[in-house]
Amino acid sequence: MTGSAMIRITDTISVDDSELEESFVRASGPGGQNVNKVSSAVQLRFDARHSPSLPSDVAVRLMRLAGKRLTKEGVIVIVAQTHRDQARNRAEARERLFDLIREAAVRPKPRRPTKVPKAQKRQRLEGKRRRSEIKRARSGRRWD
């Protein structure tokens, strides 16, 4: 019995080939008469929610990044049909999934709240005060 191969995505993440489910369907688009005979489009399915290969934080970010490609069950569906031959569509679908996983693997940097410097606050208020004096001087009234 042959074991399924592990596909290396990042230094720490590898996905088992058996986790990827591919189905081939007829594509719309270029191909002429060939388009009616050959199933060249690829529909790649990957269960992100139940994948043992992905750490939970990466899986959560991946599902958020997937957007409309994510089903209610947590399966990411990628359709590739730009090329005329099945092998190129298959490679493109896999590469798009792996790029998505690589993007999800990057931890976002936490935002550190910063204070506005006192000198900058003073400068802003002084500018407002000056502008106020200019506008006040335009009216004929005396504001004593």
Side-chain angles (χ1 to χ4, degrees):
M1 185 172 127
T2 57
S4 40
M6 292 296 278
I7 302 164
R8 189 180 188 94
I9 296 172
T10 66
D11 293 335
T12 55
I13 299 172
S14 295
V15 173
D16 196 335
D17 198 34
S18 65
E19 290 184 60
L20 304 177
E21 185 186 314
E22 293 170 327
S23 55
F24 302 99
V25 292
R26 289 194 187 137
S28 62
Q33 292 175 353
N34 192 50
V35 81
N36 299 321
K37 298 183 289 185
V38 181
S39 297
S40 59
V42 178
Q43 197 177 60
L44 180 67
R45 298 173 74 81
F46 176 70
D47 191 350
R49 188 173 292 156
H50 302 107
S51 174
S53 309
L54 297 179
S56 61
D57 61 325
V58 174
V60 168
R61 285 194 296 269
L62 177 62
M63 288 189 284
R64 194 173 297 128
L65 277 172
K68 65 181 181 184
R69 293 170 287 206
L70 186 72
T71 65
K72 289 177 185 171
E73 295 79 36
V75 177
I76 296 173
V77 180
I78 295 178
V79 178
Q81 59 180 15
T82 52
H83 304 289
R84 281 183 62 162
D85 58 309
Q86 197 180 78
R88 285 171 67 190
N89 281 330
R90 186 172 181 245
E92 183 191 334
R94 285 174 168 245
E95 198 50 45
R96 281 177 18 206
L97 175 66
F98 300 156
D99 286 345
L100 210 58
I101 295 172
R102 280 187 207 103
E103 195 178 336
V106 177
R107 279 199 175 90
K109 290 181 183 175
R111 183 189 176 279
R112 295 211 173 84
T114 57
K115 279 187 175 178
V116 178
K118 285 182 180 175
Q120 198 172 13
K121 271 187 185 176
R122 209 175 306 120
Q123 189 178 3
R124 182 179 62 85
L125 292 173
E126 185 54 42
K128 286 169 71 98
R129 207 171 290 116
R130 253 186 263 118
R131 190 81 187 137
S132 171
E133 289 299 323
I134 290 168
K135 289 188 173 196
R136 189 181 290 174
R138 284 188 196 145
S139 72
R141 287 189 170 155
R142 287 275 153 222
W143 298 95
D144 295 324

